[in-house]
Amino acid sequence: MKFKYIFSLVAGVVAMTSCSDDITTPVLELQQAAKLNAITPAEVTFTQANSTENFPEISWEKANYGNGAVVNYEVTVTNNTTQKKVVIGETGDNKLNLTNAEMNTLLAKVGAYPGQTYDFTVSLASEAFNVYNDHAQNTVTFKATPYDPNTVNIDWNYAYVAVGYPEWDYTKAYLIGDPDGDGVYKGWVQLEEGESFAILDGKDITKVLAQDQPITDANKGFVEITLDDQGNVSMTQPTKWGLIGDATSGGWSSDTPLEYDADTRLWTAVTVLSDKEFKFRANKDWVINYGSDGVTTDGLKADGDNFKGLNPHAYIVTLNLTNAGKYTYTLEETTVELSSAMMTLPGSYQADGGWKPEADDALKLTSENRDFKYIGTHYFPANTEFKMYDAGTWLGIKGDMVWNETHTKANFVIDSGDNIKIADGGYYRIEADTKKKIASITKTGWEVIGDATPDGWDKGQVMTYNPTTKKWSITVVMKDGTFKFRWDAAWTKNLGGTASALTQDGANISITAGTYLIELDPANNVATVTQQ
């Protein structure tokens, strides 16, 4: 039996009191534990139709701790099959009311899968003044059959991609489907965690269609899974999605990227579209692309027709590829201010006198995030003059171009000003912020970098480009160590391994101390290293 003691000091003349005069008196104790009432009805099948109705009330006779006790109750449900349990509510009342939808969600946390009937046990604990914690006199049981609200609108065969099977969570599982009824299931899923997955029949999850499918670095990401009618599983390479077409500011040559949200499982972008045509494609390539299905207003079809006939406006574009094999898209007009996805650099380098902003040979700067920040790397002949052209607006240089001491980088202000001039031919990275009206030009291209180079792995040594031979060269003092070649001060494109047979992401190249002439032929993946 548990007691709560209140200690009282008997007041009186200080000289007449002592510790031995303290009095302890028990004021509260559990006199009768709570008692759960039977759940009626004791068997429920959850559906979309009854999801908003109340689950049968869980009630009890209150625990008795004596007069004045403030008592709180904690209600727990245990799945008798899995022995997993979850607290479904806390209250000071003698009852707990939940909707069927709320209970359905809670039962998923204890391993209850849709379409399967389980026995559950409800238990109750009472607490008073943070001291008492007592179980009710009894427990009660009920049966329930959960459902998956994500599948209520799917009227074709579908299957779950169960990551970590047999320990998997159907509320987080992706669905693949067979909308054509040909026995082939397809669907896009985001594979991130876990070592393997199984594919389970959506109408009967006890039926395993495929299992022990490995999740590796090669297939982590947003991939399409196909399960053929023979039970064979295949996957695409991981993908990133974008919009392309002459309805977009990037035209048919530059994608407008979409961003994936793992919570909504949608690809979205906010972008301006004209009344021309566009499509969706993966990885900036035409291997995987979607156009109109030619039947519905929002349906997608692999290699389908271009979408067209829009009202020119800024749109929230949504691509839904995770609806169990039946893919759709939406367009919602918005007032969000965006930059264009691309602007050109018309100038003297162009054919036939140049200065043609829409010609095919006009160099481009892109803004992947449509945030008014543009970037592009291009070769410019000596004494080139150009401007920036953004949807009818010409931007030039205002004031002076301020170069650094090595004449490899210049910052300047852009406005409706003079031509931008580059005296020395070579590759340059152009960056511009049309909101802040600032820009920079940085000499770039292939460089050597490594612990053998003068600035180590922190900074590369830019090589000189020969437009006649299309080769790169540099004379540089090296230390004992290693180096590699990389493009435009980033590791996206880099070469290593053996000088006579360079490869992307190849191993570091060893070298001894000395002065070397290093020449690179990136078109043929060959380099020569000659000590001077």
Side-chain angles (χ1 to χ4, degrees):
M1 184 176 293
K2 300 179 181 178
F3 295 92
K4 178 175 178 69
Y5 293 93
I6 299 177
F7 298 91
S8 300
L9 179 65
V10 179
V13 179
V14 174
M16 297 175 63
T17 62
S18 70
C19 292
S20 63
D21 295 322
D22 288 350
I23 300 173
T24 61
T25 305
V27 295
L28 291 177
E29 64 178 341
L30 177 65
Q31 299 177 18
Q32 182 169 309
K35 182 179 181 181
L36 282 158
N37 299 320
I39 296 174
T40 307
E43 185 167 355
V44 179
T45 298
F46 298 119
T47 65
Q48 179 70 16
N50 69 18
S51 62
T52 59
E53 298 175 10
N54 287 330
F55 182 78
E57 184 176 79
I58 300 172
S59 64
W60 53 89
E61 296 175 18
K62 289 188 173 183
N64 183 1
Y65 288 94
N67 293 333
V70 177
V71 184
N72 290 305
Y73 300 91
E74 182 180 83
V75 185
T76 301
V77 166
T78 302
N79 184 335
N80 294 352
T81 300
T82 66
Q83 288 303 303
K84 292 181 179 180
K85 60 182 63 179
V86 62
V87 174
I88 64 170
E90 297 180 8
T91 180
D93 204 349
N94 70 327
K95 60 182 180 295
L96 181 66
N97 291 303
L98 299 168
T99 66
N100 284 337
E102 291 170 333
M103 182 61 83
N104 185 70
T105 299
L106 288 166
L107 296 186
K109 298 180 182 297
V110 293
Y113 294 112
Q116 305 297 303
T117 302
Y118 299 85
D119 291 308
F120 298 93
T121 297
V122 178
S123 56
L124 180 74
S126 57
E127 182 185 81
F129 291 104
N130 296 321
V131 174
Y132 295 97
N133 193 340
D134 299 289
H135 292 294
Q137 299 177 39
N138 63 329
T139 59
V140 294
T141 62
F142 68 92
K143 290 180 180 289
T145 306
Y147 84 108
D148 186 351
N150 295 317
T151 66
V152 295
N153 294 319
I154 300 176
D155 57 5
W156 57 92
N157 290 333
Y158 63 90
Y160 289 98
V161 176
V163 174
Y165 179 82
E167 296 295 325
W168 65 291
D169 184 346
Y170 80 86
T171 65
K172 298 179 181 179
Y174 283 79
L175 297 170
I176 62 176
D178 178 20
D180 300 327
D182 58 4
V184 177
Y185 291 80
K186 283 189 175 185
W188 291 91
V189 306
Q190 178 77 9
L191 294 178
E192 292 180 350
E193 300 178 353
E195 296 180 354
S196 65
F197 65 88
I199 299 176
L200 312 179
D201 191 316
K203 303 295 177 63
D204 180 5
I205 62 165
T206 64
K207 184 178 180 181
V208 180
L209 304 179
Q211 60 182 336
D212 298 327
Q213 301 299 312
I215 299 174
T216 66
D217 290 338
N219 61 27
K220 281 185 178 179
F222 195 78
V223 299
E224 187 180 43
I225 295 177
T226 299
L227 173 68
D228 68 20
D229 55 2
Q230 302 299 311
N232 301 308
V233 177
S234 61
M235 283 180 276
T236 66
Q237 294 294 315
T239 59
K240 294 185 180 296
W241 285 83
L243 278 171
I244 191 165
D246 51 13
T248 71
S249 57
W252 288 106
S253 60
S254 180
D255 294 65
T256 299
L258 299 169
E259 182 177 352
Y260 186 67
D261 187 312
D263 293 324
T264 65
R265 300 185 175 181
L266 300 173
W267 290 89
T268 59
V270 181
T271 187
V272 176
L273 296 174
S274 73
D275 58 356
K276 296 181 181 180
E277 302 182 356
F278 71 93
K279 295 187 78 172
F280 298 97
R281 71 174 185 174
N283 297 339
K284 300 181 180 180
D285 199 344
W286 288 108
V287 175
I288 305 173
N289 72 89
Y290 289 111
S292 171
D293 65 6
V295 179
T296 62
T297 57
D298 62 351
L300 301 175
K301 178 183 176 183
D303 300 313
D305 295 333
N306 298 343
F307 298 106
K308 52 189 173 184
L310 296 173
N311 174 40
H313 206 278
Y315 289 90
I316 301 173
V317 183
T318 302
L319 178 63
N320 183 354
L321 297 178
T322 55
N323 189 31
K326 189 175 285 189
Y327 311 136
T328 58
Y329 81 104
T330 60
L331 298 175
E332 179 185 348
E333 291 189 359
T334 181
T335 57
V336 175
E337 183 185 10
L338 297 168
S339 69
S340 59
M342 178 195 70
M343 62 181 178
T344 58
L345 304 176
S348 62
Y349 64 88
Q350 291 179 272
D352 302 324
W355 299 100
K356 298 178 179 64
E358 297 178 353
D360 290 341
D361 64 347
L363 302 177
K364 299 174 179 64
L365 303 183
T366 59
S367 177
E368 287 198 2
N369 295 323
R370 306 294 299 278
D371 56 0
F372 299 90
K373 297 176 182 178
Y374 297 81
I375 189 170
T377 298
H378 301 289
Y379 176 78
F380 294 88
N383 300 314
T384 293
E385 297 188 19
F386 66 93
K387 284 189 173 182
M388 301 175 187
Y389 181 84
D390 185 8
T393 300
W394 290 83
L395 298 172
I397 184 171
K398 181 179 179 181
D400 297 326
M401 186 179 292
V402 181
W403 289 90
N404 61 7
E405 292 182 357
T406 57
H407 208 75
T408 55
K409 183 174 182 178
N411 298 308
F412 55 97
V413 175
I414 51 176
D415 208 334
S416 54
D418 298 330
N419 296 344
I420 303 165
K421 300 178 182 180
I422 296 180
D424 300 328
Y427 274 88
Y428 291 86
R429 181 172 61 253
I430 314 294
E431 298 177 75
D433 187 326
T434 57
K435 270 289 188 184
K436 295 181 179 180
K437 301 292 186 182
I438 57 174
S440 66
I441 293 180
T442 305
K443 192 171 185 180
T444 187
W446 283 101
E447 61 185 21
V448 292
I449 187 170
D451 52 26
T453 65
D455 294 310
W457 291 105
D458 295 328
K459 181 182 177 182
Q461 313 299 305
V462 179
M463 307 176 78
T464 299
Y465 180 66
N466 185 324
T468 302
T469 64
K470 297 184 179 180
K471 296 180 180 180
W472 299 76
S473 65
I474 187 174
T475 299
V476 60
V477 177
M478 304 288 270
K479 298 173 285 188
D480 289 338
T482 62
F483 73 97
K484 294 186 75 173
F485 299 95
R486 73 174 182 179
W487 171 256
D488 198 16
W491 291 104
T492 305
K493 190 176 180 181
N494 71 88
L495 298 173
T498 304
S500 60
L502 298 168
T503 58
Q504 170 68 22
D505 298 321
N508 298 344
I509 303 168
S510 298
I511 197 169
T512 57
T515 301
Y516 292 87
L517 169 63
I518 301 176
E519 297 179 291
L520 173 67
D521 180 358
N524 295 302
N525 291 331
V526 172
T528 58
V529 181
T530 307
Q531 190 164 11
Q532 302 298 290

